[in-house]
Amino acid sequence: MYSGRTGESIDMIYWLEGHYIKEALQEVNYFMRDWRNNQVIGIDSRTVDIVAATHNLLDTTEPYMLVSGYRSPATNAMLRRRSSGVAKNSLHMKGEANDVRLKSRSVAQMARAAQAVAAGGVGRYTRSNFVHMDCGRVRQWGS
């Protein structure tokens, strides 16, 4: 489902017969770690559900490129100094958000699919070519 900046890739079944698979979610936690300092936290399973449901709607086998998963407070502060588009209390710091892209789909296509899931926030970052998805309240922003 994901490929990452470090060349890693993850494609797995994480839910089976009504239950999350603990070992699979542990792999997701590691994969979505803050790659700048290797800090790992528990990624909210709702976040994984949202990106998986969106991926299914997009009808592609191409894995997401993970731009950003978990961000430590230090990483988030550094990114805030560089960009006005980084929230002070970002859900990335709680393991409740990720930023992804696909080569085969536009930001608009990905955002529409994520909005159809209607399970959290969806941000369009067309110039940077990624979509933010989180398990916070349902909302949308960007162009």
Side-chain angles (χ1 to χ4, degrees), residues 5 33-39 67-72 74-76 78-79 82:
R5 290 179 176 267
R33 72 192 179 281
D34 185 331
W35 59 269
R36 291 170 178 87
N37 57 24
N38 277 330
Q39 288 184 4
V67 176
S68 184
Y70 168 64
R71 289 187 204 145
S72 67
T75 293
N76 202 68
M78 178 271 296
L79 292 172
R82 293 182 180 178

Side-chain angles (χ1 to χ4, degrees), residues 34-51:
D34 185 331
W35 59 269
R36 291 170 178 87
N37 57 24
N38 277 330
Q39 288 184 4
V40 178
I41 67 163
I43 300 299
D44 192 309
S45 59
R46 296 173 300 166
T47 301
V48 181
D49 293 340
I50 290 166
V51 296

Side-chain angles (χ1 to χ4, degrees), residues 4-52:
R5 290 179 176 267
T6 59
E8 296 167 282
S9 182
I10 188 170
D11 186 20
M12 70 176 71
I13 296 170
Y14 71 96
W15 170 271
L16 187 63
E17 298 177 0
H19 300 283
Y20 290 103
I21 301 169
K22 180 182 171 185
E23 296 81 10
L25 289 179
Q26 288 173 338
E27 285 187 48
V28 170
N29 294 342
Y30 179 76
F31 184 81
M32 292 182 69
R33 72 192 179 281
D34 185 331
W35 59 269
R36 291 170 178 87
N37 57 24
N38 277 330
Q39 288 184 4
V40 178
I41 67 163
I43 300 299
D44 192 309
S45 59
R46 296 173 300 166
T47 301
V48 181
D49 293 340
I50 290 166
V51 296

Side-chain angles (χ1 to χ4, degrees), residues 39-108:
Q39 288 184 4
V40 178
I41 67 163
I43 300 299
D44 192 309
S45 59
R46 296 173 300 166
T47 301
V48 181
D49 293 340
I50 290 166
V51 296
T54 299
H55 197 264
N56 286 337
L57 288 175
L58 290 165
D59 192 29
T60 182
T61 58
E62 176 191 353
Y64 287 117
M65 165 59 91
L66 180 65
V67 176
S68 184
Y70 168 64
R71 289 187 204 145
S72 67
T75 293
N76 202 68
M78 178 271 296
L79 292 172
R80 272 183 57 77
R81 288 190 296 274
R82 293 182 180 178
S83 171
S84 62
V86 177
K88 182 177 184 179
N89 295 313
S90 172
L91 293 178
H92 285 276
M93 295 189 299
K94 297 178 180 181
E96 296 179 355
N98 67 162
D99 301 332
V100 294
R101 70 173 52 115
L102 288 169
K103 290 179 185 175
S104 64
R105 300 293 186 269
S106 70
V107 167

Side-chain angles (χ1 to χ4, degrees), residues 119-141:
V122 179
R124 294 177 187 218
Y125 293 87
T126 303
R127 285 190 307 166
S128 299
N129 189 32
F130 71 83
V131 173
H132 168 98
M133 297 179 214
D134 67 52
C135 63
R137 63 182 170 76
V138 176
R139 66 210 187 287
Q140 58 186 342
W141 66 92

